[in-house]
């Protein structure tokens, strides 16, 4: 069952699970996935926590204790989510040690309501790093305009970061620049750069969802022939940008003092259109020193029938450019699509967080002790 996952790992793709819940931790399922399915990391986001806590098992005792202490709903939520991340980090610690800190990572996101507030994002990132207190944590910061200086500042303080919600090639280059600037600040502060790690989460399937919709609206045979190609083209050109930046003189100066490359992470790799093969964004995005964070269904599909045939990214850049150019010639604006997706991404995470706040508040009220 796991031959395809092993081949994927052997090609230099780190397999991370895009899901976390307390039941997954306490049942031994996470440990089993690490042991049997080559999983070497975990990512979370507000939507994942909303699903886990609102409908999950294992939270009632902690919620009861928090209700008894009469904590605020925001504090309760942070205590619950950081507890899950801490426990998952402990389970993944052997992987972290074995890979010298590259993998064995668990990501936790800053409050999505802070996505356009640089100082608050920095403060929240520092607080989360302190609360989880595990060296194998990544703090997720969205790649909004306000997020970019926050990334530099947080990296500069020696905190490892997962940059999330990247859709555009231009923004991805800005993210890499923010990372290098952060490393330069950390170096100036005398920090050990070898202890700082980062991934850049480049979102995949949502690009096809939006562009395919616009191609359907155009309706020509030429437009239909381009469906399902834009997301892979976009991601492959992101890898080209990664290769350029991390072969530059600026990078070489940091690498000489122990810095780690910021790996591209393929996010949103669950296929949304049933017309496409369910392992499309795994099979066709194989390249060295990348991460693919998969929902469990995608992980299982890859284990069952993934077709890992070697590097499917390098050597495809000309074709990728031609495909995105063909989409643009049909009147579909790349800049409009990627900005819309970024805005929607922030809004969706904020909505999930607000739903989670409401459901957690209701649980705290239900479990609060009655006054004598």
């Amino acid at each position: 069952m796991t031959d395809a996952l092993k081949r994927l790992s052997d090609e230099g793709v780190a397999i991370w699970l895009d899901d976390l819940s307390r039941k997954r931790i306490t049942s031994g399922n996470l440990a089993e996935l690490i042991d049997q399915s080559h999983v070497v990391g975990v990512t979370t986001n507000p939507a994942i926590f909303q699903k886990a806590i609102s409908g999950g098992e294992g939270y009632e005792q902690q919620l009861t204790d928090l209700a008894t202490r009469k904590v605020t709903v925001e504090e309760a939520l942070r205590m619950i989510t950081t507890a899950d991340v801490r426990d998952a980090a402990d389970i993944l610690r052997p992987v972290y040690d074995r890979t010298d800190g590259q993998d064995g990572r668990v990501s936790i996101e800053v409050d999505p309501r802070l996505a356009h507030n640089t100082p608050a994002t920095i403060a929240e990132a520092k607080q989360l790093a302190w609360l989880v207190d595990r060296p194998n944590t990544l703090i997720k910061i969205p790649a909004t305009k306000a997020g970019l200086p926050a990334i530099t500042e947080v990296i500069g303080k020696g905190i490892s970061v997962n940059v999330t919600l990247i859709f555009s090639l231009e923004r991805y280059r800005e993210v890499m620049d923010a990372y290098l600037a952060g490393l330069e600040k950390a170096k100036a502060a005398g920090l050990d750069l070898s202890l700082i790690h980062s991934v850049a989460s480049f979102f995949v399937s949502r690009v096809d969802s939006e562009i395919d919709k616009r191609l359907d609206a155009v309706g020509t045979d030429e437009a239909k022939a381009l469906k399902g190609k834009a997301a892979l083209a976009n991601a492959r050109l992101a890898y080209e940008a990664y290769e350029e930046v991390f072969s530059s003189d600026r990078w070489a100066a940091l690498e000489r003092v122990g810095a780690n490359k910021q790996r591209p992470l393929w996010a949103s790799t669950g296929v949304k259109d049933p017309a496409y093969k369910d392992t499309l964004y795994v099979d066709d995005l194989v390249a060295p020193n990348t991460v693919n964070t998969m929902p469990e269904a995608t992980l299982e599909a890859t284990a069952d029938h993934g077709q890992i045939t070697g590097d499917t990214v390098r050597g495809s850049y000309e074709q990728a450019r031609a495909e995105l150019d063909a989409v643009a010639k049909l009147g579909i604006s790349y800049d409009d699509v990627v900005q819309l997706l970024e805005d929607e991404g922030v809004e969706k995470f904020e909505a999930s967080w607000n739903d989670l706040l409401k459901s957690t508040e209701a649980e705290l009220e239900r479990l609060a002790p009655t006054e004598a």
Side-chain angles (χ1 to χ4, degrees), residues 181-326:
L183 289 176
E184 288 159 352
K185 287 190 77 157
K187 179 185 173 186
L191 299 181
D192 183 351
L193 300 194
S194 71
L195 300 177
I196 303 170
H197 285 260
S198 183
V199 294
S201 295
F202 200 88
F203 277 55
V204 184
S205 66
R206 296 187 194 182
V207 174
D208 270 344
S209 295
E210 183 59 34
I211 288 183
D212 283 0
K213 185 169 66 177
R214 298 183 186 209
L215 289 169
D216 279 335
V218 173
T220 63
D221 289 343
E222 183 187 5
K224 289 172 185 173
L226 287 167
K227 288 182 65 176
K229 294 185 176 177
L232 289 173
N234 199 37
R236 287 166 172 167
L237 293 177
Y239 193 83
E240 181 188 40
Y242 157 78
E243 289 189 305
E244 287 174 12
V245 169
F246 289 99
S247 60
S248 66
D249 291 342
R250 183 185 183 192
W251 165 248
L254 292 163
E255 190 174 36
R256 280 195 293 271
V257 290
N260 299 291
K261 291 179 180 177
Q262 181 187 55
R263 286 182 293 171
L265 178 152
W266 311 128
S268 182
T269 55
V271 172
K272 293 178 169 55
D273 189 332
Y276 303 150
K277 62 178 179 177
D278 55 2
T279 59
L280 176 67
Y281 305 127
V282 179
D283 298 350
D284 290 10
L285 286 176
V286 178
N289 210 37
T290 57
V291 180
N292 194 311
T293 185
M294 308 179 203
E296 190 168 21
T298 304
L299 182 74
E300 290 173 350
T302 302
D304 183 61
H305 52 266
Q307 296 177 319
I308 309 305
T309 57
D311 190 330
T312 51
V313 173
R314 292 180 297 182
S316 67
Y317 304 143
E318 274 190 41
Q319 183 185 346
R321 257 187 290 279
E323 287 166 349
L324 288 186
D325 287 347

Side-chain angles (χ1 to χ4, degrees), residues 152 172-182 184 245 250 262:
T152 296
Y172 178 42
R173 287 183 180 275
E174 291 173 339
V175 165
M176 290 187 283
D177 181 71
Y179 175 60
L180 296 184
E184 288 159 352
V245 169
R250 183 185 183 192
Q262 181 187 55

Side-chain angles (χ1 to χ4, degrees), residues 51-283:
K51 180 182 173 187
I53 297 168
S54 300
E57 302 168 19
Y59 296 99
E60 185 141 322
Q61 184 57 60
Q62 188 178 13
L63 280 162
T64 300
D65 292 344
L66 292 165
T68 302
R69 288 175 50 215
K70 298 181 179 177
V71 303
T72 65
V73 64
E74 279 89 356
E75 184 184 352
L77 205 44
R78 275 311 180 207
M79 297 307 291
I80 292 166
T81 56
T82 54
D84 280 358
V85 169
R86 192 180 309 114
D87 288 345
D90 288 343
I91 294 168
L92 278 154
R93 183 60 188 263
V95 177
Y96 170 83
D97 293 337
R98 187 177 74 240
T99 61
D100 292 327
Q102 177 161 267
D103 287 309
R105 295 278 175 175
V106 187
S107 299
I108 184 169
E109 190 148 348
V110 297
D111 185 330
R113 297 172 298 178
L114 307 177
H116 303 295
N117 183 329
T118 303
T121 294
I122 295 165
E124 170 94 344
K126 288 159 60 180
Q127 171 77 355
L128 283 174
W130 176 83
L131 266 176
V132 176
D133 192 27
R134 294 294 184 272
N136 51 329
T137 308
L138 291 170
I139 307 303
K140 287 179 88 170
I141 297 175
T144 57
K145 277 292 185 188
L148 295 170
I151 293 158
T152 296
E153 192 67 25
V154 172
I155 290 287
K157 294 183 182 302
I159 297 170
S160 294
V161 172
N162 175 344
V163 183
T164 188
L165 290 176
I166 308 171
F167 295 94
S168 84
L169 296 167
E170 180 184 0
R171 183 58 52 83
Y172 178 42
R173 287 183 180 275
E174 291 173 339
V175 165
M176 290 187 283
D177 181 71
Y179 175 60
L180 296 184
L183 289 176
E184 288 159 352
K185 287 190 77 157
K187 179 185 173 186
L191 299 181
D192 183 351
L193 300 194
S194 71
L195 300 177
I196 303 170
H197 285 260
S198 183
V199 294
S201 295
F202 200 88
F203 277 55
V204 184
S205 66
R206 296 187 194 182
V207 174
D208 270 344
S209 295
E210 183 59 34
I211 288 183
D212 283 0
K213 185 169 66 177
R214 298 183 186 209
L215 289 169
D216 279 335
V218 173
T220 63
D221 289 343
E222 183 187 5
K224 289 172 185 173
L226 287 167
K227 288 182 65 176
K229 294 185 176 177
L232 289 173
N234 199 37
R236 287 166 172 167
L237 293 177
Y239 193 83
E240 181 188 40
Y242 157 78
E243 289 189 305
E244 287 174 12
V245 169
F246 289 99
S247 60
S248 66
D249 291 342
R250 183 185 183 192
W251 165 248
L254 292 163
E255 190 174 36
R256 280 195 293 271
V257 290
N260 299 291
K261 291 179 180 177
Q262 181 187 55
R263 286 182 293 171
L265 178 152
W266 311 128
S268 182
T269 55
V271 172
K272 293 178 169 55
D273 189 332
Y276 303 150
K277 62 178 179 177
D278 55 2
T279 59
L280 176 67
Y281 305 127
V282 179
D283 298 350

